[in-house]
Amino acid sequence: MTNNTVSSTARVLGAGLRALLALTLVCGVIYPLAVTGVAQALFSDQANGSEIKDTNGQVVGSSLIGQRYDLPPKKGETSPAPDLKWFQPRPSNGLGSNSVNTQYSLLLSGATNRSGDNEELIQWVKDAKAAVAKDNSTATYQVNPADIPPDAVTSSGSGLDPDISPAYAELQAHRVAEKNGLDVKKVEDLVKDHTTDRLLGFMGEPRVNVLELNTALRDLTRQGSGPGSTQE
């Protein structure tokens, strides 16, 4: 009787061990390798983080995560001022540091969670609209506050939106051209070249990826292209 019990227990343990090894091989080795292989073969860009590279092949960030383009904070400043050489993203305290020139890092993300009639939010929007009009007006181009699109003065739900509307990008073109010594038409063409239409022609809205646009802008300034342009 004892021998039968031991033999039965051994068979059960042996079966359990074989099942463990088989499932480990299938679920822990074969399946991950198969999924990774399919992802790399069919969706290589997405599987590797939707990386954006400059003309030198250097990874500058991901097309899925927004970044800020700020000047180094001055002593006593609560928040850094935007670097007006670059196209600016939607306002947010959740965006990461600009990796076009510095190491890429992320901060906390999230929305304000304030209602549309919240007095503090309304004041934020008014202040943001005034700042956008001031920052983007040049000697030859004055921004009409009524023409400022909503995404220029409101953050996204995550605070990490990598895209802005073509209207906001075009509004910034004169300022970017002036700050970089470039022809306005060349900068406007750059915006058009990096505008993505609606998915399948009807889903979503046209958009401009800010990191892709600024990476192309940096390459353009390095080339010294355009009348009156200067190299960095």
Side-chain angles (χ1 to χ4, degrees):
M1 186 70 175
T2 302
N3 290 337
N4 290 337
T5 302
V6 172
S7 177
S8 177
T9 301
R11 286 197 301 270
V12 171
L13 290 176
L17 181 60
R18 289 192 297 272
L20 174 62
L21 293 176
L23 289 173
T24 299
L25 179 63
V26 172
C27 299
V29 179
I30 297 176
Y31 177 73
L33 287 176
V35 171
T36 301
V38 171
Q40 291 295 333
L42 301 180
F43 310 101
S44 178
D45 180 60
Q46 294 88 336
N48 290 301
S50 300
E51 295 174 338
I52 294 177
K53 298 180 180 179
D54 59 17
T55 53
N56 296 323
Q58 178 183 356
V59 177
V60 296
S62 170
S63 63
L64 303 177
I65 302 175
Q67 301 183 36
R68 294 186 64 88
Y69 298 83
D70 294 330
L71 294 168
K74 297 179 180 178
K75 187 177 181 180
E77 282 186 339
T78 56
S79 59
D83 188 344
L84 299 180
K85 291 193 310 179
W86 305 104
F87 286 93
Q88 294 296 313
R90 299 183 66 171
S92 175
N93 292 325
L95 295 182
S97 300
N98 166 26
S99 69
V100 171
N101 296 313
T102 59
Q103 184 177 359
Y104 186 64
S105 60
L106 284 180
L107 304 176
L108 296 176
S109 67
T112 60
N113 291 323
R114 286 170 169 77
S115 63
D117 59 355
N118 180 272
E119 292 184 2
E120 187 177 22
L121 178 61
I122 292 173
Q123 189 59 49
W124 285 352
V125 171
K126 289 180 178 178
D127 293 343
K129 183 172 286 191
V132 168
K134 177 183 177 182
D135 289 344
N136 290 283
S137 293
T138 67
T140 58
Y141 177 76
Q142 293 297 310
V143 175
N144 183 352
D147 295 333
I148 297 176
D151 61 304
V153 295
T154 56
S155 62
S156 65
S158 67
L160 299 173
D161 193 343
D163 304 318
I164 57 176
S165 65
Y168 187 27
E170 291 166 2
L171 182 145
Q172 300 182 64
H174 288 263
R175 181 254 299 163
V176 169
E178 180 183 81
K179 294 293 183 181
N180 289 282
L182 295 170
D183 182 68
V184 174
K185 179 64 167 57
K186 190 164 284 292
V187 176
E188 290 176 338
D189 288 342
L190 201 65
V191 171
K192 292 178 182 178
D193 290 342
H194 288 83
T195 298
T196 302
D197 292 329
R198 292 178 173 88
L199 182 63
L200 302 178
F202 66 93
M203 295 176 63
E205 294 293 334
R207 61 196 183 279
V208 179
N209 186 284
V210 182
L211 178 56
E212 290 180 354
L213 181 60
N214 278 333
T215 302
L217 172 64
R218 186 182 66 170
D219 293 337
L220 181 63
T221 58
R222 284 178 170 177
Q223 294 169 5
S225 300
S229 65
T230 58
Q231 289 185 334
E232 288 187 327

